[in-house]
Amino acid sequence: MSKHKKFFLIIICILLNSFLIIGFLVVRDATMANTLKEEAKTISKLDITKNRYNLKVRTRGNYGIVEKSVKTYLDDYAISLQKMLSIMGDSKLTQLFSYNNYVKDGPEFKESLTYLQAAKEEFNSQIDQLLVNSEEDVIRAYGKEKISNTHYYDLYVDMILSDSMKKQFSDAKVFLSQIKVEANEVFEVSGELLNFLIVNKDFWKLEEGEIRFQTEALYNQYNLYVSKLSQ
């Protein structure tokens, strides 16, 4: 075989290998892109107030970075949101004005006041951060920190700020704003009621499983606070 033929065959082999490699990369890229789209559909069906997003990352390379960034942001958000909601459902908060707590912590209610202040601070810290993290510019900035390539950053934005996810974040902001007002009113009234009981500790006592006041005026004022909490 002549040198020219050998050279020609080598060139052909190199080109074939190049085409195979390029074809493999194109197919792999298309597969990863499709998988990412499927994952986007999956997360869009989840409820950020109830579900977690710590799902397995199914793509690799830059697609994997995009997928992981989206799922990490959403999972951190979901954890914070659900933790905030758990504060309001904490049995210790709901039982502050139970007969058992009156017996245990009254009439000075030092433990109750300390707990109430801590719960209020934690709640407001959580909800304020959630409101910040609901903003589109913050969501975009998070992606900028994780993804430098423009093409893959755009995929991140398309995935985490799809129409369905935008609606979830928008609904969450409305919900958070409403619950912040309502919860802080509960914290405020609860503090007022505890201080009312402390100031008037000489004018009430616990008998037969209930709290009894010496005057009807104090009893009515107590019931007014309780009615506010039950609204």
Side-chain angles (χ1 to χ4, degrees):
M1 184 180 293
S2 66
K3 290 182 179 180
H4 290 294
K5 286 184 177 180
K6 286 182 178 179
F7 180 75
F8 178 74
L9 288 174
I10 291 172
I11 294 297
I12 292 297
C13 288
I14 291 173
L15 289 174
L16 285 173
N17 286 333
S18 297
F19 286 134
L20 288 172
I21 292 171
I22 292 171
F24 170 77
L25 293 175
V26 169
V27 171
R28 187 182 69 172
D29 189 80
T31 301
M32 291 294 170
N34 286 331
T35 302
L36 190 67
K37 288 179 181 178
E38 290 302 314
E39 289 302 292
K41 291 178 182 177
T42 298
I43 66 171
S44 69
K45 295 175 183 177
L46 299 177
D47 185 339
I48 210 163
T49 65
K50 300 175 182 177
N51 300 126
R52 291 285 305 276
Y53 294 80
N54 55 338
L55 306 171
K56 180 180 178 181
V57 176
R58 297 181 58 216
T59 55
R60 297 187 300 277
N62 287 319
Y63 287 101
I65 295 172
V66 171
E67 185 183 350
K68 183 177 180 180
S69 298
V70 170
K71 289 179 177 178
T72 298
Y73 191 92
L74 293 176
D75 196 50
D76 288 345
Y77 187 97
I79 290 172
S80 295
L81 178 56
Q82 292 161 30
K83 183 178 179 181
M84 179 274 296
L85 293 174
S86 72
I87 294 173
M88 296 310 299
D90 186 358
S91 60
K92 194 168 184 178
L93 178 62
T94 58
Q95 294 298 312
L96 277 180
F97 304 105
S98 66
Y99 182 83
N100 287 338
N101 194 57
Y102 290 163
V103 172
K104 175 187 174 184
D105 199 33
E108 298 296 338
F109 295 102
K110 292 180 180 180
E111 183 179 329
S112 297
L113 285 171
T114 298
Y115 163 78
L116 186 64
Q117 184 61 31
K120 180 180 180 180
E121 290 176 1
E122 183 178 2
F123 171 84
N124 281 288
S125 175
Q126 291 278 347
I127 204 165
D128 287 343
Q129 189 60 55
L130 280 165
L131 284 166
V132 169
N133 291 343
S134 302
E135 296 296 333
E136 186 172 323
D137 58 344
V138 175
I139 298 169
R140 288 177 177 273
Y142 179 87
K144 283 285 187 183
E145 291 179 0
K146 305 293 182 181
I147 306 162
S148 57
N149 183 284
T150 302
H151 170 67
Y152 293 101
Y153 172 73
D154 289 341
L155 291 178
Y156 163 85
V157 172
D158 290 342
M159 187 173 181
I160 200 168
L161 289 173
S162 64
D163 289 342
S164 61
M165 290 309 304
K166 274 186 177 181
K167 186 176 187 309
Q168 285 215 49
F169 281 118
S170 178
D171 290 346
K173 282 195 291 184
V174 173
F175 169 72
L176 290 169
S177 297
Q178 291 175 342
I179 199 172
K180 182 178 181 181
V181 173
E182 294 170 2
N184 276 288
E185 184 175 349
V186 170
F187 286 127
E188 186 68 24
V189 174
S190 295
E192 291 176 2
L193 179 47
L194 287 173
N195 283 306
F196 166 78
L197 292 172
I198 294 168
V199 170
N200 295 286
K201 63 183 178 181
D202 295 328
F203 303 102
W204 60 267
K205 59 183 177 179
L206 302 173
E207 282 185 340
E208 299 177 358
E210 61 182 18
I211 185 171
R212 294 178 177 175
F213 291 86
Q214 290 185 13
T215 69
E216 186 175 352
L218 288 175
Y219 177 70
N220 290 338
Q221 192 171 352
Y222 171 81
N223 280 335
L224 182 61
Y225 281 123
V226 172
S227 66
K228 287 182 180 180
L229 290 175
S230 61
Q231 288 177 355

XYZ file of all heavy atoms in Angstrom, residues 3 12 16 32 35 55 74 81 83-84 123 151 163 191 222:
126
model
N 2.100 5.199 0.361
C 2.030 6.165 1.465
C 0.794 7.050 1.346
O 0.184 7.417 2.343
C 3.284 7.022 1.473
C 4.538 6.270 1.886
C 5.735 7.202 1.929
C 6.990 6.457 2.368
N 8.166 7.350 2.405
N -9.390 9.242 6.861
C -10.759 8.733 6.890
C -11.106 8.232 8.296
O -12.192 8.511 8.835
C -10.951 7.600 5.865
C -10.858 8.144 4.438
C -12.293 6.902 6.077
C -11.932 9.145 4.088
N -13.973 9.643 10.679
C -15.042 8.772 11.176
C -15.134 8.820 12.697
O -16.228 8.906 13.267
C -14.806 7.332 10.703
C -15.115 7.039 9.244
C -14.670 5.619 8.885
C -16.612 7.214 8.972
N -29.759 14.605 27.698
C -29.702 15.374 28.950
C -30.730 16.505 28.941
O -31.385 16.777 29.950
C -28.295 15.947 29.159
C -27.239 14.915 29.459
S -27.511 14.114 31.048
C -26.306 12.803 30.951
N -34.106 15.003 29.534
C -34.229 14.577 30.939
C -34.469 15.785 31.839
O -35.287 15.736 32.761
C -32.961 13.832 31.394
O -32.741 12.696 30.553
C -33.091 13.374 32.835
N -34.807 15.712 45.334
C -34.891 14.575 44.426
C -33.510 14.285 43.828
O -32.658 15.159 43.749
C -35.886 14.875 43.305
C -37.288 15.313 43.744
C -38.090 15.792 42.540
C -38.003 14.176 44.442
N -35.129 25.315 45.569
C -36.524 25.019 45.900
C -36.639 24.220 47.189
O -37.555 24.449 47.991
C -37.187 24.248 44.751
C -37.383 25.025 43.447
C -37.947 24.119 42.365
C -38.289 26.236 43.659
N -40.159 27.332 54.507
C -41.593 27.601 54.527
C -42.316 26.649 55.470
O -43.153 27.065 56.289
C -42.164 27.482 53.110
C -43.672 27.685 52.948
C -44.098 29.034 53.498
C -44.072 27.568 51.483
N -40.998 24.963 57.928
C -40.550 25.209 59.296
C -41.298 26.389 59.896
O -41.711 26.359 61.056
C -39.046 25.481 59.326
C -38.481 25.672 60.729
C -36.973 25.894 60.692
C -36.421 26.114 62.097
N -34.946 26.358 62.062
N -41.476 27.433 59.081
C -42.225 28.603 59.532
C -43.653 28.233 59.892
O -44.191 28.664 60.923
C -42.185 29.675 58.442
C -42.948 30.955 58.759
S -44.704 30.853 58.329
C -44.621 30.661 56.561
N -40.126 33.201 63.928
C -41.153 33.245 62.892
C -40.904 34.401 61.934
O -40.911 34.219 60.716
C -42.536 33.389 63.532
C -43.634 33.658 62.537
C -44.240 32.615 61.860
C -44.046 34.957 62.272
C -45.242 32.863 60.930
C -45.037 35.217 61.348
C -45.642 34.165 60.678
N -25.850 29.907 28.312
C -26.841 28.942 27.808
C -27.444 28.144 28.949
O -28.681 27.997 29.053
C -26.185 27.993 26.808
C -27.060 26.838 26.419
N -28.220 26.990 25.682
C -26.958 25.495 26.691
C -28.792 25.814 25.506
N -28.053 24.888 26.106
N -43.823 29.123 34.101
C -45.105 29.745 34.456
C -45.678 29.140 35.738
O -46.181 29.871 36.601
C -46.103 29.562 33.305
C -45.747 30.411 32.093
O -44.963 31.357 32.264
O -46.245 30.112 30.991
N -49.107 38.005 74.058
C -48.266 38.732 75.012
C -49.092 39.621 75.929
O -48.836 39.706 77.136
N -60.615 39.269 80.213
C -59.920 38.026 79.898
C -60.584 37.351 78.692
O -59.896 36.925 77.745
C -59.955 37.093 81.112
C -59.459 35.691 80.842
C -58.098 35.401 80.811
C -60.362 34.643 80.606
C -57.650 34.115 80.556
C -59.921 33.358 80.354
C -58.561 33.091 80.338
O -58.119 31.819 80.088
